[in-house]
Amino acid sequence: DYFTSTETWRYLSTAVLLVRKGLPGVLNGNPFPQAINGSLWTLPIEFLCYLTVAVVGSVQLAQKNWLLGGCLCLVALGATLGPAMVGERFIPHFEMVAFFWWGAWYGHLSRNLSTHSKWDWVLSVLALLVFLTLGSRGVERTSMLLFAGGLVIIARKVSIGAPLTDRLGDLSYGMYIFAFPVQQAFIQLAHDRNWAFETYLASSFLVTAGLAYASWHCIEKRVLLFKPSVKDQA
């Protein structure tokens, strides 16, 4: 009955970005119930962001460098005012798009600081002021942005961890994909066993890291072999 359930088959629509969080009767007793992998809600938004990058990138071929800064200002405005128009439950969606474009803008500016005009910096300041002062959660989202940006800058300047992580591989996407279901599984398995928080944290981290490591070496790294090299793109 479980495998013939309509809701069970509908869960497979997640593979085509129609995300469904839960399966009938699964994890109902957890503190975060009926969610197999709650992190997957970001996938449709992420895919949309990639599409917008493709569109903007094609226009950038015409050397309209102001377009990227204009997009940043628009998504910053959307993050601040959009939820008021369509509902506060969409706050994470709007803010995620804005964070994505902040990352794209940072990459654009960091290529060669000396080649950018003063208008690039004007657009940066304008977008940041909009992000901070308009709508709700201005301080919270700006704090997250500055913290994440600071970590990226430090990671690019300090290579102390590279000798270890280079050998292990890129585990970041696997950690994102597997963390939530692993955490849910441990909570379910340890029900009524009075585990300490540290036990949950250590167990889920180790298992998630192992799955991420296997995913990188067995799937992700092999798929990247099909990616054109810089020489091919030139």
Side-chain angles (χ1 to χ4, degrees):
D1 292 340
Y2 177 80
F3 289 103
T4 59
S5 168
T6 301
E7 288 300 318
T8 300
W9 285 103
R10 284 179 179 173
Y11 184 80
L12 297 178
S13 66
T14 301
V16 290
L17 302 181
L18 299 174
V19 178
R20 295 182 180 274
K21 294 182 179 179
L23 287 168
V26 179
L27 302 176
N28 288 342
N30 278 12
F32 199 94
Q34 296 179 329
I36 306 301
N37 195 341
S39 300
L40 297 185
W41 71 270
T42 63
L43 290 180
I45 305 169
E46 183 180 355
F47 184 72
L48 174 63
C49 288
Y50 292 146
L51 289 180
T52 58
V53 166
V55 172
V56 174
S58 65
V59 178
Q60 286 284 87
L61 294 176
Q63 299 302 314
K64 296 181 179 179
N65 294 323
W66 52 267
L67 184 60
L68 195 60
C71 289
L72 176 67
C73 291
L74 286 177
V75 297
L77 190 62
T80 58
L81 302 181
M85 295 184 286
V86 298
E88 291 192 356
R89 70 188 184 96
F90 290 104
I91 287 177
H93 303 72
F94 280 99
E95 290 185 352
M96 181 180 174
V97 174
F99 288 137
F100 180 94
W101 276 98
W102 273 112
W105 184 243
Y106 170 79
H108 171 68
L109 290 183
S110 62
R111 286 180 181 176
N112 191 343
L113 295 177
S114 63
T115 63
H116 297 292
S117 70
K118 64 178 181 180
W119 294 109
D120 290 331
W121 303 107
V122 169
L123 289 172
S124 300
V125 174
L126 178 61
L128 187 62
L129 288 175
V130 168
F131 210 56
L132 174 64
T133 60
L134 297 183
S136 61
R137 285 175 41 86
V139 174
E140 291 89 340
R141 62 172 166 259
T142 304
S143 298
M144 288 189 291
L145 173 66
L146 296 177
F147 181 74
L151 288 179
V152 171
I153 293 172
I154 292 173
R156 296 186 66 180
K157 298 292 185 182
V158 180
S159 60
I160 189 171
L164 173 63
T165 57
D166 286 349
R167 289 196 298 267
L168 291 178
D170 187 353
L171 308 184
S172 59
Y173 194 72
M175 297 295 283
Y176 156 69
I177 288 293
F178 295 115
F180 197 101
V182 168
Q183 291 163 0
Q184 287 284 72
F186 271 110
I187 291 172
Q188 179 73 20
L189 290 172
H191 186 63
D192 293 332
R193 295 184 182 179
N194 297 319
W195 280 13
F197 170 78
E198 293 79 6
T199 304
Y200 280 113
L201 179 63
S203 301
S204 59
F205 175 80
L206 290 174
V207 172
T208 302
L211 291 173
Y213 181 83
S215 175
W216 167 254
H217 287 281
C218 297
I219 301 174
E220 297 164 40
K221 183 171 69 172
R222 299 177 185 274
V223 171
L224 285 175
L225 295 176
F226 296 96
K227 180 180 178 180
S229 65
V230 175
K231 183 185 296 184
D232 294 333
Q233 293 175 350

